[in-house]
Amino acid sequence: MLLQGKIAIVTGAASPRGIGRATAQAFAEQGARVIIIDLDLTAAREAAAQLGEGHLGLAANVADEAQVRDAVAQALGHYGRIDVLVNNAGITQPVKTLEITGKDYDRILDVNLRGTLLMSQAVLPAMRSQKAGSIICMSSVSAQRGGGIFGGPHYSAAKAGVLGLAKAMAREFGADNVRVNSLTPGLIQTDITGGLIHDERRHAIIDGIPLGRLGDARDVANAALFLASDLSSYLTGITLDVNGGMLIH
């Protein structure tokens, strides 16, 4: 078991077909106790219960500092430690540059980027005290290629910010044996993307992917499992692409 005895938080993991849920499932299968943090407490508890016994569902808006700190305090009170954080919670919006309003910008940046910072700030003292921890930040191929899929430019900006934040935290906390890495998924089949891809566009997108298919949530989950486990013990500050070759650089 790659995560036997480990305590892991996965944010935004209540959606049945999302990357977060697949990650939580992969972690549980490898021996971790998983804390699912989502906006909806009932959904978070149900998702945790579906993983089996010993898992926990909590509610928090990752962009709200007080809610984040309360949820992490509950997790620490319940388990006594936190070994892994997956900053998965995120939202997108398919608009063009001139259509982005101030409210749109704040909403997208708050959840995707501020949420990553707030969750990391909340768990880092415990990880630093333990002298061990792994933080995995969910970015996107949109940050690397300048959008062009679903999310607008503000989404690309937020996800690019996640990459810079993760690298800076990796440099700062490496001496404490806390590793911080990023994942950049390509186009993954989830509840969010499921209804947005028409057949013509779907085929055009797949034609540009060397592996010849869209990604599954489990593809990303397996990459997160690698970064959470000791298999990646000498990796920090990296960006791991999970895109089927959509972007090769």
Side-chain angles (χ1 to χ4, degrees):
M1 294 261 186
L2 292 174
L3 298 180
Q4 188 65 47
K6 301 290 188 182
I7 308 301
I9 292 175
V10 185
T11 65
S15 177
R17 293 183 61 243
I19 290 170
R21 177 71 74 87
T23 300
Q25 183 68 46
F27 283 13
E29 289 170 0
Q30 290 296 323
R33 296 296 187 213
V34 180
I35 302 115
I36 289 177
I37 294 180
D38 210 282
L39 281 171
D40 186 324
L41 179 59
T42 299
R45 286 177 172 171
E46 289 176 354
Q50 288 175 14
L51 298 177
E53 293 185 5
H55 308 287
L56 185 65
L58 299 172
N61 175 355
V62 297
D64 185 303
E65 184 174 1
Q67 291 185 33
V68 164
R69 294 195 176 277
D70 181 62
V72 171
Q74 289 183 63
L76 284 169
H78 192 86
Y79 294 106
R81 63 183 292 119
I82 296 169
D83 300 291
V84 180
L85 166 65
V86 182
N87 283 310
N88 171 74
I91 57 173
T92 188
Q93 184 186 28
V95 297
K96 303 294 186 181
T97 300
L98 297 180
E99 299 168 349
I100 299 169
T101 67
K103 186 176 290 187
D104 291 335
Y105 180 87
D106 289 343
R107 186 169 62 91
I108 297 298
L109 269 288
D110 274 356
V111 175
N112 292 292
L113 184 53
R114 185 191 299 273
T116 296
L117 174 63
L118 293 178
M119 283 299 310
S120 300
Q121 285 178 322
V123 304
L124 276 165
M127 290 183 173
R128 176 183 258 174
S129 177
Q130 296 162 191
K131 288 292 183 183
S134 174
I135 297 176
I136 299 151
C137 299
M138 203 65 67
S139 181
S140 168
V141 69
S142 294
Q144 299 166 305
R145 68 193 297 271
I149 303 179
F150 287 128
H154 50 340
Y155 176 77
S156 294
K159 290 301 191 180
V162 167
L163 295 180
L165 174 62
K167 289 177 182 179
M169 291 192 297
R171 191 178 299 279
E172 183 176 353
F173 293 97
D176 299 302
N177 196 35
V178 177
R179 301 184 296 109
V180 187
N181 296 293
S182 297
L183 291 174
T184 45
L187 192 53
I188 308 299
Q189 299 180 94
T190 66
D191 289 331
I192 293 175
T193 62
L196 297 177
I197 310 174
H198 302 297
D199 282 345
E200 278 187 26
R201 189 173 184 196
R202 181 188 183 91
H203 291 311
I205 291 170
I206 290 174
D207 285 344
I209 300 174
L211 289 185
R213 66 175 177 87
L214 300 181
D216 292 321
R218 189 65 187 228
D219 293 322
V220 185
N222 287 338
L225 176 61
F226 167 66
L227 291 178
S229 77
D230 289 340
L231 292 177
S232 59
S233 61
Y234 199 52
L235 300 184
T236 197
I238 75 157
T239 300
L240 181 59
D241 296 343
V242 190
N243 62 36
M246 175 187 282
L247 178 71
I248 297 175
H249 57 100

